[in-house]
Amino acid sequence: MHASQGRSVGLGLALVSAFAFGGSGVAAKPLIEAGLDPLHVVWLRAAGAALVMLPVAWRHRALVRQRPALLAGFGLLAVAGVQACYFAAISRIPVGVALLVEYLGPALLLGWVRFVQRRPVSRAAAVGVVLAVGGLACVVEVWSGLGFDALGLLLAFGAACCQVSYFLLSDHGSGGENPADPIGVIAYGLLIGTGVLTVVARPWTMDWALLAGRADMGGTVVPASLLLAWVVLVATVVAYFTGVLSVRRLSPQVAGVVACLEAVVATVLAWVMLGEHLSAPQVVGGAAVLAGAFIAQTSTPKAVSGAPVAGSAPDPGLTADQGESGSDQRESELPAVNRAT
């Protein structure tokens, strides 16, 4: 029962994260159309969130000494790497193609878990990945912008790999006797990511006066500062926080497939708020992504070799204390989906 409740909470957090991340585009696009460079918007997003999380970083400053590698990896890969690689990719290849390649992340994650970590992967998770990736191809209408640019595709693949690191590092931080506080990891990740993006985006060249003006959102004039606040507080702080917590309650591969809903949310919000109409293939693709996410989240990890499946009847030869000890051991060996941390 406890694991089931933790799983439900994890799924809810994963959905909130997907919706929060997916809402970044509809707020960022009007800012870009108002004259801000895309890289400057990315820097404002990371820097603003890092500023909000600065008190949290100070409170968890012990993490710098305890988990320096985790913090550096999260900041370099999960924050800065994804953004830098993606925006560099769309400068060379169509956005739809870049999105599709980036969201191959769940499939790469599944391969990492199965062949590198040598952990069992359920059939439901694999089927969910296939459905989600196929649906994403329809959502972004990849056929409308087919073109081969080796460097652009390599950059998009780099974004996919960085996305995988986001889920792996989020799960890795929950291990050990003293798991890293997720809020502290996010705070330092944003600070480190901001430092890297500062070199890439060069914010000193930005026209700061644009932030005091207004932007057009689907025919409605909105203060640019309000859009920026949404991008920072909801699409970054809330999105990362709920995303990391969801990975710690679900397995990384399941959370990764649910995260594919981000592209669907972004497309639907652009349709509703920006007037960007959906085509029939996009609707079908969105349904496929939803189906894939649903199938994946119903998956349960297989027991490791020599251990009973979680939830099965205990060995009658064990005493009560031995049964509890064995249960604890199995939970430590299985993916995070069985741990309601």
Side-chain angles (χ1 to χ4, degrees):
M1 177 65 72
H2 186 60
S4 176
Q5 290 177 345
R7 183 185 181 83
S8 299
V9 171
L11 179 59
L13 290 169
L15 291 173
V16 171
S17 180
F19 274 80
F21 273 126
S24 63
V26 294
K29 187 171 182 178
L31 292 174
I32 294 172
E33 292 179 341
L36 283 174
D37 184 270
L39 275 178
H40 289 161
V41 174
V42 173
W43 181 85
L44 286 168
R45 175 184 183 180
L51 185 62
V52 170
M53 299 293 285
L54 195 57
V56 177
W58 175 253
R59 180 180 179 183
H60 296 281
R61 57 190 180 278
L63 281 174
V64 176
R65 175 177 49 84
Q66 297 170 350
R67 308 297 286 270
L70 174 63
L71 300 183
F74 197 87
L76 292 173
L77 299 174
V79 176
V82 174
Q83 302 289 343
C85 287
Y86 172 71
F87 277 94
I90 63 175
S91 69
R92 305 183 65 92
I93 60 178
V95 173
V97 177
L99 270 176
L100 179 62
V101 175
E102 179 186 348
Y103 278 92
L104 289 176
L108 296 176
L109 179 60
L110 209 65
W112 177 275
V113 171
R114 180 65 184 88
F115 298 109
V116 178
Q117 295 184 335
R118 298 187 181 279
R119 291 160 61 183
V121 172
S122 71
R123 183 176 300 175
V127 171
V129 166
V130 172
L131 268 177
V133 172
L136 281 170
C138 296
V139 169
V140 302
E141 294 187 328
V142 62
W143 55 84
S144 66
L146 289 176
F148 182 79
D149 184 300
L151 181 56
L153 291 174
L154 184 63
L155 289 166
F157 184 75
C161 293
C162 289
Q163 187 191 62
V164 171
S165 74
Y166 163 71
F167 294 104
L168 292 176
L169 290 171
S170 297
D171 184 55
H172 178 73
S174 64
E177 296 181 358
N178 298 309
D181 188 283
I183 304 179
V185 172
I186 296 167
Y188 278 102
L190 288 168
L191 285 170
I192 295 170
T194 299
V196 175
L197 289 171
T198 298
V199 178
V200 177
R202 297 182 299 171
W204 51 86
T205 65
M206 179 171 50
D207 184 0
W208 292 86
L210 291 172
L211 298 178
R214 294 177 175 272
D216 178 57
M217 176 183 273
T220 303
V221 177
V222 181
S225 57
L226 181 61
L227 295 174
L228 181 59
W230 175 273
V231 171
V232 169
L233 298 177
V234 178
T236 307
V237 175
V238 172
Y240 271 106
F241 179 60
T242 53
V244 170
L245 288 181
S246 73
V247 176
R248 295 192 177 192
R249 286 166 171 78
L250 301 170
S251 63
Q253 59 266 35
V254 172
V257 179
V258 177
C260 288
L261 291 174
E262 177 189 336
V264 179
V265 171
T267 304
V268 172
L269 288 178
W271 176 31
V272 174
M273 303 183 71
L274 301 180
E276 298 180 356
H277 299 290
L278 294 175
S279 64
Q282 286 179 309
V283 174
V284 173
V289 174
L290 289 172
F294 175 78
I295 292 172
Q297 69 85 26
T298 62
S299 69
T300 55
K302 301 175 183 177
V304 294
S305 178
V309 176
S312 62
D315 188 336
L318 295 176
T319 65
D321 290 340
Q322 288 173 324
E324 291 176 2
S325 175
S327 175
D328 292 341
Q329 181 180 3
R330 285 194 301 272
E331 284 192 356
S332 69
E333 290 173 335
L334 292 176
V337 69
N338 278 346
R339 299 196 301 271
T341 55

